Structure formats: structure tokens, C-alpha cells
Amino acid sequence: MDIPTPSANARCLVTGASGYIGGRLVPELLGSGHSVRCLARHPDKLRDFPWANRVETVRGDVTDAESLRAAFDGVDVAYYLVHSMSSTPDFEATDRLAARTFAAKARAAGVRRLVYLGGLAPRGVPDDELSPHLRSRTEVGRILLDSGIPTTVLRAAVVIGSGSASFEMLRYLTERLPVMVTPSWVGTRVQPIAVRDVLRYLVGSAAMPPDVNRAFDIGGPDVLTYREMMTRYAETAGLRKRLIVPVPVLTPGLSSHWIGLVTPVPASLARPLTESLRHEVVCAEHDIARYLPDGPGRPIPFAESLRLALRRVRDAQVTTRWSSASPPGAPSDPLPTDPDWAGGSLYTDSRSREVDASPDALWRVIEGVGGENGWYSFPLAWAVRGWADRLVGGVGLRRGRRDAHRLRVGDALDFWRVEEIDRGRLLRLRAEMRLPGLAWLEMTVDRDERGRTSYRQRALFHPRGLAGQAYWWSVAPFHAVVFGGMARNIARTAETESERAPGASGASGASGASGGG
């Protein structure tokens, strides 16, 4: 990537490093010679990123002034890449507090530049007519610009890249619906930008002259309606021409639920994306080129950004996804180790099987669960549970996987999130579906006293109130089919794949439960 390199390397603080943009920005900063410190509420979420051992990670939160003091120590450039995607009434106040706290502590620490990626707002539209999320992005940008620290605010509309929410929404709408009855916003003009250009501008902003304190509109060379974007996607992906019929009756709320049903993007995330399309979002200037000149083929045209994204998807090289960040309201409590933590109510469903396969073969099956491989039992039951979650505003079962073969801590996995991996031995998932309580699913590779491979599976549920108790006992009769079948089929699949492997000699001859498949 042709990113300008400043004359002097900087120490950069990156917030939101586990998110879609942040997770891609960190290696670009490192590649440009900068040193990087990541601020994270849960540092363990970063430990499996390929660049984790090249950065410093500090525990903290942008709303916690005390934690920011250590985070800013010695920092030259601070990247603010956190946004609230909540729809609660107070999310704008939370965003405002976070931005003010971050700016104040950065100034006190002597940070020389702030860099913020916000949303492209339409010119001439009053703030009270903007969508709440776009209005909040605009306000955060103003707070940082008024901080007394030279600040670069980059304002982008639709970001196109493998795994981005905007790309996934466009992709699934176009691929799954050859005939679409669509909201009127498909006629709104937007100026999409390739994620590679976003990263180029973010990294280059570290070298901005100290007298630059302003916002820049950033976009690709194409201005298109959303309808034209879908049409071009179909052409690029080799699909038949799509029939698109816009209707005026679909409100942003109804549109978000429609998108939630058709695509992996849940309604809670689709709503701010669709609300931002109520107004035309086209760049009014391209002044960023004065400081970060465009090379040949830059900015990247829309069709080329689609080709790049599709190639990444098809080659299973999606490094970060929109689902890298937990959805609003998702539980983050770690698995309790003491039953007293749960007030005496921590329900479990435990299963174990002897497996006539090597520990490595069993681990490969475990690490491959979910997504296209499914959950190895009663697919209809899992599908119904996913649809039920979607209907109440949850993420559903269609987030899939970032990588078809390998997981890392923090990955979304359908309606679970990877909470812990002890590669070759343990996979622990935390539920992110809507539940009256907290739930986990553990899968473990072990050996019995005679050295044979064994599979252990444990589902845990900490109920919240009477509704939680009722939920557990209402689904308990199905556990034998769902969880029992899952344990049986995972073991059987490991045995089958072990038999197919060249030179396979059964479970007992395998050595160790190491490796990760």
C-alpha cells in the first residue's frame, strides 16, 4: 500500500484496535515505521492478532480519565476510532463524554496530533435533521477539533472492503435478491471509498503539518446511487441483472429489519447505516490531496474496490469484519469459576465422548465449527433459534466466521463470540444472542486415563430472574437432541476425517494435543 511515510517515526495510540478499521490500521502503522500502543477495555481480545507481539497494549476506556493517563504517556499521535452503535437514548451523551475526556487527557499529556474517522454529513442540512448516529459523529469531530490539539478529522460515507458492514450489506442484498422491493433511499447519491484509501489517509495523517487542524471529506472517484452500486456489484460478481423496484413506504426502522432478515448485518447496525442514506452524502472537496497526494489509480474506483474485496472473501483472507466489535448490549462477563458468583444458579449441560481419532484431528473439527460448517446437530433447531434472535433485535445465526479454519479470541462466530482459546485443547464461546441471562459453550480436547482421545462439551447458563429460570427449563428437554447430537457428530466427524488422512493410524497412535489446525 503506497502510504506516505513521515520523516520522523511517531508513537501512535490506537483506540478501537479490535474493530474493523482499527484492526487493519495497526499493521499499516507498523509497516510505515511507527510504534503502536493499543488501548483496549479487554486486552485479551488483541492477543491472537498477527501483530499482537509487535505492539504495546494497555487496559483502559475512553470514558475513564484515569486509565487514559498511562495510555497517553509518550504518545505523539492518537487515533480515535471508537463509536457507540447503541440505539439507547443516551448514546449521544456517552459519545460526547468520551470525546471530551479523550481530548482533555491527550492535551494534558502533550499529544501532538489527534486523528478521527467520522461520517460524511451532507452540507447545508441542520444537525437536528441528521440521523442520530451521524449527528453524534459530527459532534465528536467538532469536540476534537476544538481540543487545542491539531486534529485531522476524516469524513467518509460508505467504506467498501472485505468484511465491512457496508460491503456485507451491499453484497448480501444483491446476491440473495434477484428481484428487490427496496426503500426509496436506493436513489440517494453516495460517494463510496475503498478501505485501502481510508487506511492510506489515516496513516498519512500522522505526518500532517502542525498548523493543520480541520476536517477533510474523503471518497472514491465515483458518485453513485445505492441502486447503481447494487447493479455494479452484480456485474462485478458475475450475477444476472437485478430487478430493483423502489417503494416509498419503507421507513428506516422497517428498512433495518428488512436488511436484518436478508443479510448477516443485524437490524441494530443496519439502522444507522440506512438512516445516513436519507440525505445525499457526496464529498464537497478533496483538499486531503494537498497533504497526501494521490498516486496512479488513487483513489481506487468503486469497481476495483469491489474486485479487491471479493478476492479477499473468496481467498478467505478477511483480516477484520464488522462483527469484530461486540453488538450493543452484548454481555462481556467472563465465565464464572465460582458457583457463588451466580448466586447458586449456574446450570450446566455436560457431555463427553471417546474419539477414535488423534487430538489434532478432533481439534480441527472443533475450531471449524459454525459458519458454513454449522453446529453438527439438528440444523433446523439452530436455524429457528437464529431467526428468533433476529426477530427480537439480536445478531442471529448468520454472522458466520471471519476465517473458515482458524479462530482467534474476540472473533464473532454466528451468535457466539470466542472468549478463550487454548489452541489444541479448549475453545470457549460466549453467547451474544438475546437471552434472559448469560451463556457459554465449552469444547475441550482431552485424554482419558488410558491415553485415548476424549471430547468434552459443556453448556453453561446463568439465569437472570424468573425469566431466566423459565428459559432454561423450557429448553432443557431439547438438550439431548441439540447438545447430545452435537457431541456425537463432532466426534464422528473427527473419526471420519482421521480415517481419510494420509497415513492415518487411529487415535491411540497420535501424539499430543498441540497444534491448531
Side-chain angles (χ1 to χ4, degrees):
M1 191 177 298
D2 52 339
I3 294 176
T5 302
S7 55
N9 296 332
R11 172 173 285 183
C12 301
L13 176 71
V14 177
T15 63
S18 64
Y20 177 72
I21 293 292
R24 298 186 181 212
L25 174 63
V26 169
E28 296 297 338
L29 288 171
L30 292 170
S32 293
H34 300 299
S35 60
V36 177
R37 177 183 295 156
C38 297
L39 177 72
R41 285 179 295 174
H42 305 287
D44 279 352
K45 283 189 175 181
L46 302 179
R47 76 177 197 204
D48 290 333
F49 279 79
W51 40 258
N53 62 353
R54 300 171 60 199
V55 304
E56 179 188 359
T57 303
V58 296
R59 185 184 299 275
D61 190 285
V62 291
T63 60
D64 181 357
E66 187 60 33
S67 69
L68 291 176
R69 185 174 290 113
F72 281 126
D73 184 32
V75 165
D76 302 304
V77 181
Y79 286 87
Y80 193 78
L81 302 175
V82 292
H83 298 302
S84 171
M85 293 307 294
S86 170
S87 298
T88 57
D90 61 346
F91 87 88
E92 290 183 80
T94 301
D95 278 352
R96 187 180 306 119
L97 171 64
R100 287 174 176 168
T101 303
F102 189 84
K105 289 302 175 182
R107 184 175 181 180
V111 174
R112 67 173 177 83
R113 176 161 296 279
L114 301 179
V115 183
Y116 171 61
L117 178 61
L120 181 60
R123 298 297 173 97
V125 177
D127 283 356
D128 60 0
E129 293 184 20
L130 297 175
S131 71
H133 284 272
L134 189 53
R135 182 171 61 238
S136 180
R137 303 289 185 270
T138 302
E139 182 183 20
V140 167
R142 283 197 296 263
I143 290 170
L144 299 180
L145 287 168
D146 294 340
S147 66
I149 305 172
T151 297
T152 304
V153 173
L154 303 175
R155 301 187 296 206
V158 174
V159 177
I160 300 297
S162 60
S164 76
S166 296
F167 174 73
E168 295 276 282
M169 192 170 92
L170 175 67
R171 173 189 170 200
Y172 281 92
L173 284 176
T174 310
E175 289 184 355
R176 291 183 172 174
L177 297 176
V179 178
M180 285 177 273
V181 177
T182 59
S184 58
W185 49 254
V186 298
T188 302
R189 294 201 316 157
V190 297
Q191 191 164 352
I193 181 171
V195 68
R196 295 192 183 200
D197 282 323
V198 173
L199 295 171
R200 179 169 64 94
Y201 293 138
L202 283 169
V203 175
S205 292
M208 285 278 186
D211 61 338
V212 176
N213 183 62
R214 58 162 292 183
F216 296 92
D217 293 353
I218 58 172
D222 303 290
V223 177
L224 307 161
T225 66
Y226 203 88
R227 178 176 185 163
E228 290 171 331
M229 289 169 61
M230 289 190 286
T231 299
R232 293 202 186 182
Y233 179 92
E235 293 171 354
T236 303
L239 305 173
R240 292 181 180 179
K241 186 175 181 180
R242 268 36 190 165
L243 178 61
I244 302 169
V245 183
V247 295
V249 296
L250 288 178
T251 65
L254 289 174
S255 296
S256 63
H257 286 291
W258 169 65
I259 291 167
L261 289 173
V262 175
T263 81
V265 180
S268 58
L269 180 56
R271 179 152 191 160
L273 294 176
T274 57
E275 283 181 335
S276 67
L277 294 171
R278 290 188 302 187
H279 303 284
E280 186 174 277
V281 277
V282 175
C283 296
E285 43 82 10
H286 188 52
D287 295 348
I288 190 78
R290 298 178 190 172
Y291 306 96
L292 305 173
D294 297 321
R298 294 300 184 101
I300 297 171
F302 178 68
E304 178 62 14
S305 69
L306 289 179
R307 281 192 289 271
L308 290 169
L310 283 168
R311 185 187 309 155
R312 287 269 185 169
V313 171
R314 289 166 180 167
D315 293 345
Q317 294 181 343
V318 180
T319 55
T320 62
R321 296 182 72 220
W322 60 270
S323 55
S324 299
S326 296
S332 58
D333 306 66
L335 177 69
T337 55
D338 184 350
D340 291 339
W341 177 90
S345 296
L346 184 62
Y347 296 122
T348 63
D349 179 277
S350 298
R351 311 275 168 173
S352 63
R353 305 274 304 183
E354 289 184 4
V355 184
D356 188 20
S358 70
D360 286 351
L362 177 57
W363 176 255
R364 283 193 292 272
V365 177
I366 290 173
E367 195 172 11
V369 297
E372 295 296 322
N373 288 330
W375 292 90
Y376 292 95
S377 72
F378 203 2
L380 180 60
W382 288 90
V384 168
R385 186 63 186 87
W387 280 107
D389 193 53
R390 286 259 170 172
L391 290 174
V392 295
V395 295
L397 198 65
R398 293 206 307 269
R399 290 190 300 184
R401 300 170 54 107
R402 175 193 56 83
D403 185 289
H405 306 290
R406 195 167 177 86
L407 295 172
R408 63 190 182 203
V409 169
D411 270 358
L413 183 57
D414 292 328
F415 49 40
W416 306 91
R417 188 168 298 274
V418 179
E419 181 175 275
E420 182 59 66
I421 297 179
D422 181 354
R423 191 149 270 112
R425 194 189 74 83
L426 169 71
L427 174 63
R428 180 185 301 138
L429 309 176
R430 187 184 66 247
E432 288 189 339
M433 72 281 279
R434 297 292 179 91
L435 287 171
L438 303 172
W440 296 264
L441 178 62
E442 283 187 341
M443 289 166 273
T444 305
V445 178
D446 206 348
R447 284 188 180 274
D448 63 18
E449 63 279 2
R450 288 183 285 179
R452 295 176 303 184
T453 304
S454 64
Y455 170 66
R456 303 188 189 282
Q457 176 183 295
R458 188 168 65 139
L460 304 99
F461 183 66
H462 171 229
R464 185 172 56 245
L466 185 60
Q469 301 278 349
Y471 173 82
W472 174 262
W473 292 113
S474 67
V475 298
F478 302 100
H479 286 174
V481 175
V482 175
F483 292 131
M486 183 178 180
R488 183 171 57 253
N489 291 329
I490 284 177
R492 185 178 299 156
T493 302
E495 291 168 349
T496 301
E497 294 188 359
S498 187
E499 290 171 0
R500 291 174 179 169
S505 58
S508 299
S511 61
S514 60

